[in-house]
Amino acid sequence: MFLELSLWFTAAAALTLAAALLVRRIPLRRVAGQLGAALAVMVVLTAIFDNLMIYAGLFDYGQHTLTGVRIGLAPIEDFFYPVCAVLFISGLWWLLSAAPRDQDTRPEPTARSAR
């Protein structure tokens, strides 16, 4: 159950990112490194802290809603949340931000007339 829901949210986040890249005309290869680094950091942090919280008994999941695949104590479904966050927030940032810095939209200064 959680896997299907996670896949739908991941698809929506990926579509948001794809729309932002298309609207802003940002080549994926230009931002792939930054997105990959953010994904790696978020997944590693999720693995560390989810395992610690589950081990400490702060929360647990009903086994009937999970696939059973785990990384340590953390169910694989938990790792969709940071992936969605990176994809969705990056896409939303680009969609809602002002014009890119490399496209200066200020008018050219006019030359002063010599007297």
Side-chain angles (χ1 to χ4, degrees):
M1 179 171 162
F2 279 130
L3 180 63
E4 292 86 12
L5 187 61
S6 298
L7 290 172
W8 281 107
F9 276 97
T10 304
L15 285 173
T16 302
L17 177 64
L21 295 177
L22 285 172
V23 167
R24 290 292 184 171
R25 295 186 177 137
I26 301 170
L28 179 60
R29 68 180 169 270
R30 188 177 109 197
V31 295
Q34 293 92 342
L35 288 172
L39 283 168
V41 167
M42 292 295 289
V43 167
V44 168
L45 289 173
T46 299
I48 292 168
F49 289 105
D50 275 16
N51 276 290
L52 287 173
M53 290 186 291
I54 292 169
Y55 180 76
L58 297 176
F59 65 91
D60 198 4
Y61 296 93
Q63 298 304 319
H64 63 283
T65 59
L66 302 175
T67 60
V69 179
R70 292 182 177 267
I71 297 177
L73 299 173
I76 196 72
E77 290 86 353
D78 265 5
F79 293 89
F80 282 93
Y81 303 123
V83 170
C84 286
V86 169
L87 298 179
F88 181 73
I89 292 171
S90 299
L92 200 60
W93 179 269
W94 285 317
L95 281 174
L96 299 178
S97 65
R101 291 183 188 184
D102 56 299
Q103 295 179 358
D104 193 2
T105 57
R106 292 179 289 176
E108 289 293 321
T110 58
R112 293 184 185 178
S113 57
R115 290 187 187 205

